Amino acid sequence: MGRVRGTLTRPMVAGALVVAVALVGVGLYWFKPWTLWQDDTVQEALPDVAAAEPADTSAGPSAKPQKTPSPEQAAPVTVASGDLISHEHTTSGTVRLLRLADGWHIVRLEDLDTSNGPDLRVWLTDAPVKEGRAGWFVFDDGRHESLGKLKGNKGSHNYRLPAGLDPADFTSVSIWCDRFSVSFGAAELARV
């Protein structure tokens, strides 16, 4: 009887080990805990009209040269701004909504400092910014627009708003983790 029991438990133990290893592998892939200790620093310059608007070369050499804007015209105008507060992870920095001289709008994150994580996005939202745990999950309840993947968890970077999107419809910006549907940090946009 002992021999039969020993023969039956070996495959069960081996099967349990295979399942445990598979679960650990899936958990590591899903959570990516090593990203919490990796920093991606990105420092982008504040855009000007020349950088935001590519030259039109399709008209050929006989086309009229484009008028170069003056430095006053090229300077971005701050439409709204706010300071980031922490949610799921400690987050700090400033968010500015800027209007460029060519009419395009960008969200600029300045001096951002947050944790790295899987699938982080920059969201423009109409949700109110709430402090503490109450603010972690509110940003996907209403209208939100993803401006793209977070370029780095530290530094200053720019995110262009899509054509036709009215920035007046939005009141906040969130560093949003799409994988776990949680805000790492957010800023209320106060109109200037």
Side-chain angles (χ1 to χ4, degrees):
M1 187 73 158
R3 198 181 247 186
V4 172
R5 190 179 314 173
T7 305
L8 291 176
T9 57
R10 283 189 192 126
M12 290 176 67
V13 169
L17 282 173
V18 168
V19 169
V21 168
L23 288 174
V24 167
V26 168
L28 287 173
Y29 171 77
W30 189 252
F31 287 96
K32 297 183 180 180
W34 57 87
T35 60
L36 292 173
W37 294 280
Q38 295 175 336
D39 288 329
D40 292 324
T41 302
V42 174
Q43 293 293 347
E44 286 185 327
L46 191 62
D48 60 8
V49 171
E53 185 175 27
D56 183 11
T57 57
S58 63
S62 63
K64 288 183 180 177
Q66 298 228 346
K67 186 177 174 185
T68 305
S70 69
E72 295 81 28
Q73 294 170 319
V77 175
T78 301
V79 176
S81 66
D83 292 326
L84 287 162
I85 65 166
S86 299
H87 280 148
E88 172 70 19
H89 292 268
T90 303
T91 302
S92 63
T94 303
V95 176
R96 292 196 304 156
L97 175 62
L98 301 169
R99 184 179 61 248
L100 304 178
D102 62 1
W104 286 97
H105 287 85
I106 64 166
V107 166
R108 178 162 172 84
L109 303 178
E110 294 180 330
D111 301 320
L112 174 66
D113 188 1
T114 190
S115 298
N116 210 338
D119 208 12
L120 294 179
R121 308 281 173 167
V122 177
W123 275 15
L124 193 58
T125 80
D126 66 355
V129 175
K130 299 177 183 178
E131 297 215 16
R133 196 172 180 91
W136 289 13
F137 306 103
V138 299
F139 298 100
D140 60 349
D141 293 343
R143 184 166 180 211
H144 57 275
E145 184 73 33
S146 177
L147 303 180
K149 289 182 96 67
L150 185 68
K151 296 175 183 178
N153 65 307
K154 295 185 181 299
S156 299
H157 15 105
N158 309 309
Y159 300 87
R160 188 171 176 169
L161 274 61
L165 189 70
D166 185 359
D169 293 342
F170 300 93
T171 58
S172 60
V173 170
S174 173
I175 308 300
W176 185 258
C177 179
D178 242 5
R179 170 104 13 117
F180 296 105
S181 298
V182 66
S183 174
F184 272 37
E188 191 81 37
L189 292 174
R191 303 292 171 191
V192 177

